[in-house]
Every structure is written in C-alpha cells, then in structure tokens.
Amino acid sequence: MKIYVGNLPYAIRDKALNDLFAPYGEVTSANVIIERDTNRSKGFGFVEMPSKEEAEKAIAELNNKEINGRAIKVNEARPREDKPRRPRY
C-alpha cells in the first residue's frame, strides 16, 4: 500500500521517514520529495508497505502525530492526476 505523508519538517529525509514507519511493519520504500532546484524538501513524501494491515495501523497511529513541532498528515496515497506540465522559464 502506498501512503502519503504530508506536513513533514523540512529536515526529514528518506532514512528518517523509513525509521518512522519501520515499527509498524516492513517498509519497501520511503521517499521524501525534494525540490530539484534548491535541493530542499517539499514537506511531503511517500512510504510503501507491502502489508495493507500494517499500513493501515501505521496510518492510524501516525496521522496528526507531532514531529519536530509539526503535526504530520498520513493517509493512503491517491492515484496521481495527469495535469498539464507547467512550462519552466
């Protein structure tokens, strides 16, 4: 199951995100989305867990949990919408 994690502190990176979800079960991937131009976190990421039950437990336990002063938002990821790409100037 793919999980969306929002409102992350900007200091969080992939390893820390993985470590946050690991107590709830196997994590196959944990990726914090990074701004290409500045190399800064965009404040959200995605975690994949193979077990739906473990993923749902992690969502229930971690949603609105405070991490470094920020209440993170955790829920099942929705499919990506195909939007027209914005031109880069």
Side-chain angles (χ1 to χ4, degrees), residues 29-88:
S29 70
N31 297 57
V32 174
I33 306 304
I34 303 295
E35 175 66 45
R36 188 180 349 194
D37 297 333
T38 62
N39 203 32
R40 257 186 70 180
S41 165
K42 287 189 173 186
F44 70 96
F46 296 94
V47 173
E48 288 191 59
M49 298 179 79
S51 166
K52 184 173 177 72
E53 293 78 26
E54 291 173 350
E56 288 172 347
K57 181 169 174 43
I59 290 169
E61 295 282 329
L62 293 174
N63 189 38
N64 290 318
K65 181 179 172 103
E66 192 169 304
I67 307 291
N68 295 349
R70 297 183 74 145
I72 63 172
K73 303 295 178 208
V74 184
N75 52 47
E76 184 174 355
R78 294 189 303 258
R80 188 174 179 163
E81 293 178 14
D82 287 330
K83 295 187 279 186
R85 293 187 57 87
R86 293 188 315 204
R88 292 185 68 184

